Amino acid sequence: MEWTREMRYRRLENASKEEIETITKKVKNCEWRQSYHIQPTTGLLNDPNGFSYFNGEYHLFYQWFPLGPVHGLKYWYHTKSKDLVHWENVGVAIKPDHDYDSHGAYSGSAIEHENHLYLMYTGNTRNKQWERHPYQVMAVMNKQGKIIKSQSPVIADVPEGYTDHFRDPKIWKSGDTFYVVIGAQRANSTGCAVLYKSINLSDWTFLGEMKTDLEHFGYMWECPDYFELDGNGVFVFSPQGLEPKGDHFQNIYQSGYLVGDKLDLQTLSFSHGEFHELDRGFDFYAPQTTLSSDGRRLLVGWMGLPEIDYPTDRNDWAHCLTLPRELSVKNGKLFQQPAKELKKLRKDKSELEATITNEKLKAFSGKKYELICEVLENDSAVFGIEFRAKGDEKTVIQYDAHEKRVMLDRSLSGQPVGEAFGTRRQCSMESRKIKFHLFVDTSSVEIFINNGEEVFTSRIFPKADSNEIRFFAEGGTVTFIAKKWDI
Ligand code: FRU
């Protein structure tokens, strides 16, 4: 079906109850519905928004086009959780029903202030000529969950020197002052981020551009996020327009980070190390962070990418969010570990210690589980795991000790997705005693390598009965222990 502009900008409020019921039924019948990831009831989910802890609960909103698996008129959908594990669908939080957000309530963030949760986002508008104008808008949620949008935008104009690609405000507070970083495009079509400050969340003063070393680094920086962690300044953003380079930048758009000194809020200088990708898998974009109730820095990403068809489109829905990850900084790099709360998902446990030589060992089985596999001794050329496997179908994660590389291969994972961008993802890693930590759901896998030094996140679309787990060693012997919990 071709999605015309008219169809993409149809309002949820104009869809009949019957239409929504029909779509919902089709979605429910999809064999690839996830079991423990946040996913839309219908339509398309993209960026996580407004991730926060407020009034004793975590709030996680997301970009949502309800009426089909395409990008269209975006709403904010609200989910909440007491424990970061079990999420409740609350419903639509922000409708694009004002002049300043007529063509979408785009991405934004949240901060608590005076017992309310302030949601700052980009109101996307288009005129008759389909020219874009972005507004930065504030909505306020009280403790009962009622949300009121501001009468007028808090930032109405794009500062001179920047294009209408100006969006995704991320707020934080330093001392008594609020700051916001916004993703932008310079008039010369290069990406950057700009900063504003405010003392009351309604009057914002433009400070200028964040000064990084990345003058020519893609054409637009989406979803910026700045925070401080373990004494460092960390800047996360999603640059569009980077060319693939070796194992790097293989997806259509990238998400990554810079670690450096704390951002100088007077001079706006950010002195930093090199750009690292946050995730080495196929489906990861536009992450956002918040602090947990006990002060840990948590990150959630969109497990998907724009401009790629997914097999679930046929059932009128697309995408999910990643599991929450805990961040830490080690030697100038971000490490990401699954949030400790996720242990709550663990059910039946299986355990195995084995030594294999040039062979494949079938052990355990499952479709939804957590698996930790730790190598104790390794003189093999290649060691790895095939999972969601049956016959030739399999997804493979492996460590090649000669090439010193980790590789995720989804060429035989089932229904193809995004093949134009390749079917393998790799990264360098020097570690014979490799540790793979997998979270497998019906149609996804998140693999934390060596305690979160690298992560591979991907959707996979295998057959329902592809549930084998096989450990293999080539060119030598490997001793490993594996623990698996059903979820
Ligand atoms: C990133 C993004 C944001 C924008 C939102 C619209 O995926 O393009 O820049 O605010 O999605 O849904």
Side-chain angles (χ1 to χ4, degrees):
M1 175 166 75
E2 209 223 313
W3 280 82
T4 59
R5 186 180 286 174
E6 204 186 341
M7 290 158 78
R8 285 173 193 260
Y9 284 84
R10 226 178 114 221
R11 308 190 61 82
L12 175 61
E13 301 85 276
N14 293 341
S16 67
K17 218 172 126 209
E18 291 71 43
E19 181 183 349
I20 301 296
E21 272 167 17
T22 308
I23 306 180
T24 308
K25 215 159 160 199
K26 209 164 155 194
V27 172
K28 278 194 181 142
N29 282 336
C30 182
E31 59 182 303
W32 290 303
R33 289 298 278 172
Q34 297 276 57
S35 73
Y36 59 93
H37 284 81
I38 293 175
Q39 62 190 342
T41 52
T42 62
L44 179 142
L45 161 159
N46 57 301
D47 315 353
N49 293 156
F51 190 20
S52 51
Y53 184 75
F54 170 65
N55 197 26
E57 289 174 314
Y58 290 95
H59 297 270
L60 186 46
F61 306 80
Y62 56 77
Q63 286 286 287
W64 189 41
F65 176 64
L67 299 178
V70 295
H71 291 268
L73 184 62
K74 295 289 170 69
Y75 291 66
W76 272 42
Y77 192 88
H78 186 186
T79 65
K80 63 179 188 175
S81 169
K82 289 204 181 347
D83 61 3
L84 286 172
V85 180
H86 304 96
W87 292 89
E88 183 192 326
N89 277 342
V90 182
V92 170
I94 300 178
K95 289 182 194 156
D97 57 3
H98 201 287
D99 286 349
Y100 60 54
D101 59 9
S102 58
H103 290 68
Y106 274 14
S107 284
S109 56
I111 196 163
E112 183 174 352
H113 179 53
E114 295 176 342
N115 291 318
H116 287 76
L117 191 68
Y118 281 69
L119 310 171
M120 187 171 181
Y121 68 96
T122 300
N124 183 54
T125 68
R126 300 270 194 181
N127 64 13
K128 288 222 165 62
Q129 291 71 46
W130 208 244
E131 290 156 350
R132 192 196 290 274
H133 184 84
Y135 295 98
Q136 314 308 317
V137 180
M138 197 66 87
V140 182
M141 185 173 96
N142 69 13
K143 290 199 166 164
Q144 288 69 50
K146 191 171 166 45
I147 296 174
I148 297 179
K149 288 162 65 165
S150 57
Q151 290 296 319
S152 46
V154 290
I155 301 175
D157 299 318
V158 173
E160 223 181 295
Y162 302 93
T163 74
D164 52 12
H165 287 289
F166 192 82
R167 55 180 175 265
D168 311 336
K170 175 77 203 288
I171 303 195
W172 78 99
K173 196 175 183 184
S174 178
D176 288 335
T177 309
F178 296 99
Y179 290 88
V180 74
V181 58
I182 297 180
Q185 179 181 60
R186 299 187 192 100
N188 69 2
S189 297
T190 53
C192 65
V194 302
L195 297 157
Y196 286 76
K197 73 172 178 181
S198 171
I199 47 162
N200 56 13
L201 291 172
S202 46
D203 304 306
W204 290 90
T205 308
F206 179 60
L207 297 176
E209 205 172 296
M210 184 168 164
K211 296 184 188 119
T212 70
D213 296 340
L214 303 176
E215 270 295 310
H216 294 274
F217 199 69
Y219 59 80
M220 167 66 190
W221 292 3
E222 296 191 302
C223 300
D225 190 343
Y226 174 78
F227 54 90
E228 287 166 4
L229 182 61
D230 305 335
N232 305 275
V234 183
F235 180 55
V236 170
F237 62 113
S238 296
Q240 296 178 299
L242 303 182
E243 289 299 320
K245 204 167 148 196
D247 292 341
H248 294 279
F249 312 153
Q250 291 293 324
N251 294 338
I252 182 167
Y253 304 130
Q254 325 306 323
S255 288
Y257 65 89
L258 308 170
V259 171
D261 296 338
K262 291 182 181 175
L263 172 64
D264 186 327
L265 292 166
Q266 300 304 319
T267 63
L268 312 186
S269 291
F270 183 53
S271 145
H272 59 84
E274 64 182 302
F275 178 83
H276 293 282
E277 282 164 271
L278 264 166
D279 198 284
R280 311 309 299 264
F282 298 90
D283 304 283
F284 182 88
Y285 197 60
Q288 190 173 91
T289 72
T290 194
L291 281 179
S292 68
S293 52
D294 58 356
R296 289 165 292 145
R297 180 59 58 174
L298 302 172
L299 176 143
V300 167
W302 167 24
M303 210 195 290
L305 280 166
E307 294 159 55
I308 293 173
D309 296 331
Y310 284 75
T312 59
D313 293 356
R314 294 196 281 280
N315 288 69
D316 282 347
W317 73 286
H319 312 307
C320 60
L321 297 180
T322 69
L323 297 172
R325 306 169 180 182
E326 276 173 42
L327 303 183
S328 58
V329 178
K330 284 185 201 136
N331 301 324
K333 259 192 95 172
L334 271 187
F335 276 59
Q336 306 170 65
Q337 283 282 59
K340 65 173 189 223
E341 286 85 345
L342 293 166
K343 291 197 176 104
K344 273 197 183 173
L345 289 169
R346 292 176 174 176
K347 288 189 215 141
D348 296 339
K349 182 177 179 188
S350 326
E351 229 173 324
L352 162 79
E353 175 163 347
T355 299
I356 53 175
T357 305
N358 301 331
E359 64 187 300
K360 200 172 278 182
L361 171 71
K362 218 188 275 183
F364 313 145
S365 65
K367 296 199 298 184
K368 294 171 282 184
Y369 54 86
E370 177 185 352
L371 174 70
I372 300 179
C373 172
E374 213 166 337
V375 168
L376 305 176
E377 300 289 338
N378 182 3
D379 75 5
S380 74
V382 180
F383 169 72
I385 311 170
E386 298 175 356
F387 56 97
R388 293 307 310 269
K390 184 77 125 214
D392 289 341
E393 191 164 283
K394 58 188 176 183
T395 302
V396 188
I397 183 79
Q398 65 176 47
Y399 181 65
D400 185 320
H402 291 166
E403 287 203 21
K404 300 195 172 89
R405 269 154 122 202
V406 178
M407 179 175 78
L408 174 67
D409 185 341
R410 72 169 178 185
S411 56
L412 298 172
S413 290
Q415 288 282 307
V417 52
E419 282 190 321
F421 296 90
T423 55
R424 290 170 169 187
R425 290 290 180 272
Q426 309 191 64
C427 73
S428 310
M429 177 81 51
E430 193 144 346
S431 167
R432 281 190 167 269
K433 293 195 177 159
I434 195 88
K435 183 175 170 188
F436 298 124
H437 188 171
L438 286 72
F439 282 83
V440 176
D441 202 344
T442 315
S443 56
S444 71
V445 61
E446 286 148 283
I447 310 172
F448 298 82
I449 314 283
N450 285 358
N451 300 317
E453 190 174 341
E454 299 283 0
V455 190
F456 287 75
T457 298
S458 290
R459 298 302 299 277
I460 48 172
F461 299 96
K463 291 196 197 76
D465 64 349
S466 295
N467 62 358
E468 290 175 11
I469 302 173
R470 312 160 180 159
F471 300 86
F472 64 92
E474 292 164 10
T477 301
V478 175
T479 301
F480 64 93
I481 43 173
K483 292 179 202 153
K484 173 186 159 266
W485 295 266
D486 290 331
I487 293 183

